[in-house]
Amino acid sequence: MRKHRIYIFCLLVISGFATVDTYAQTKIWIVRHAEKDLKNTSDSDPGLSLDGQDRAKDLASLLRPNRLLAVYATSTNRSTQTAQPTAYGHGLTVQTYDPRDPAGLVSTVLRNYKNGGVVIVGHSNTVLELVEAFGLKRPLPTLEEDRYDYVFALTVDDNSMGLLMSQYGKLPRTTAPK
């Protein structure tokens, strides 16, 4: 009986280490805001189109299994609306950041959310700069104005950094198979 208790104790200790190791990395997902509503050409801060609303829900579904500690977006309607379903699904509120200060955001994320997950929603002209601000090489020369489907997943631990670029949601019409 004593050996059985020791065995169970060892299993619990090992599983505890495995759980800690699972979150030993900080994960950061950087995306561009979803498709914006272009119907009102005089609107300087448009929200999301119906396709954009669908893409925001797709992002929330993609990230649902992850342990998120924070969701950041710029103060524009389209960025905030892209981030909202993901934040809501994790019981978080969308925090705003200044896209002109990527180094400040990087510092905040690495200091405050170590060993957790963070989502950052930016713009076509800031997403790749954010990847670089985290110390990684830009995976594309530019992010085209009509591309809303890329997600850049960064993994940061004490010894290394990694980047995985993928696509999510419905592919843009220009790249969809015919």
Side-chain angles (χ1 to χ4, degrees):
M1 185 63 135
R2 181 172 163 82
K3 286 183 182 179
H4 183 68
R5 286 185 184 163
I6 292 172
Y7 178 73
I8 291 174
F9 175 76
C10 289
L11 280 177
L12 289 172
V13 169
I14 290 169
S15 66
F17 283 128
T19 303
V20 170
D21 193 40
T22 301
Y23 297 114
Q25 298 176 328
T26 304
K27 301 216 178 218
I28 302 125
W29 291 270
I30 303 174
V31 299
R32 179 184 179 200
H33 62 78
E35 291 88 339
K36 56 188 169 186
D37 186 354
L38 299 174
K39 290 179 187 166
N40 182 356
T41 56
S42 65
D43 188 352
S44 63
D45 188 16
L48 296 180
S49 67
L50 292 177
D51 284 345
Q53 292 171 27
D54 287 344
R55 186 172 305 281
K57 291 174 190 170
D58 290 341
L59 180 64
S61 294
L62 174 73
L63 298 175
R64 185 170 293 123
N66 295 285
R67 179 177 172 253
L68 298 183
L69 300 178
V71 178
Y72 282 90
T74 65
S75 61
T76 63
N77 286 329
R78 58 194 175 275
S79 291
T80 303
Q81 289 172 9
T82 301
Q84 192 59 48
T86 300
Y88 179 80
H90 285 86
L92 301 168
T93 58
V94 177
Q95 300 179 60
T96 58
Y97 74 95
D98 183 352
R100 296 168 297 185
D101 184 19
L105 178 61
V106 168
S107 176
T108 297
V109 166
L110 294 178
R111 181 181 61 250
N112 295 340
Y113 305 107
K114 189 171 184 168
N115 301 332
V118 176
V119 176
I120 303 171
V121 180
H123 300 269
S124 62
N125 63 342
T126 64
V127 166
L128 296 173
E129 288 76 5
L130 276 168
V131 170
E132 289 179 321
F134 276 98
L136 294 162
K137 185 178 178 197
R138 174 186 290 247
L140 299 168
T142 61
L143 193 55
E144 297 171 20
E145 187 61 33
D146 63 345
R147 297 306 300 260
Y148 301 92
D149 59 334
Y150 286 115
V151 58
F152 302 93
L154 289 66
T155 305
V156 180
D157 65 29
D158 292 335
N159 301 315
S160 65
M161 295 183 127
L163 172 66
L164 178 64
M165 181 178 85
S166 60
Q167 293 173 283
Y168 75 102
K170 183 176 72 174
L171 293 179
R173 288 186 178 97
T174 57
T175 61
K178 294 181 182 181

